[in-house]
Amino acid sequence: MHSETQRLLGTLEILCSNSFVWETTTQGEFNIWNLMISEGFVNLTDIELAFKHWQKIEE
């Protein structure tokens, strides 16, 4: 594991009241993007759905 990843995990463990576990086999590589997805801050979508949504906003 990279030293930066270990540092980030240590910080997260201190900030979280519960222990923090990241399963790379199910959640992928630990990075900020995958963390945001796992916590529900962002959702993956199909690019065509995003375009349709943006077009509706413009109308």
Side-chain angles (χ1 to χ4, degrees), residues 7-8 11 23 26 29 48 51 55:
R7 187 183 67 76
L8 288 172
T11 302
E23 294 290 335
T26 57
E29 178 186 356
E48 290 180 15
F51 286 145
Q55 287 173 343

Side-chain angles (χ1 to χ4, degrees), residues 2-58:
H2 293 109
S3 61
E4 179 68 13
T5 303
Q6 289 178 334
R7 187 183 67 76
L8 288 172
L9 282 173
T11 302
L12 284 172
E13 286 177 342
I14 291 169
L15 295 175
C16 296
S17 58
N18 298 328
S19 61
F20 182 80
V21 177
W22 187 266
E23 294 290 335
T24 55
T25 56
T26 57
Q27 295 172 292
E29 178 186 356
F30 180 73
N31 56 43
I32 193 67
W33 184 247
N34 286 340
L35 177 62
M36 290 173 58
I37 292 169
S38 73
E39 293 299 311
F41 294 123
V42 294
N43 295 314
L44 296 179
T45 187
D46 184 340
I47 191 68
E48 290 180 15
L49 291 174
F51 286 145
K52 287 179 185 179
H53 177 71
W54 292 333
Q55 287 173 343
K56 286 181 183 179
I57 291 173
E58 290 180 0

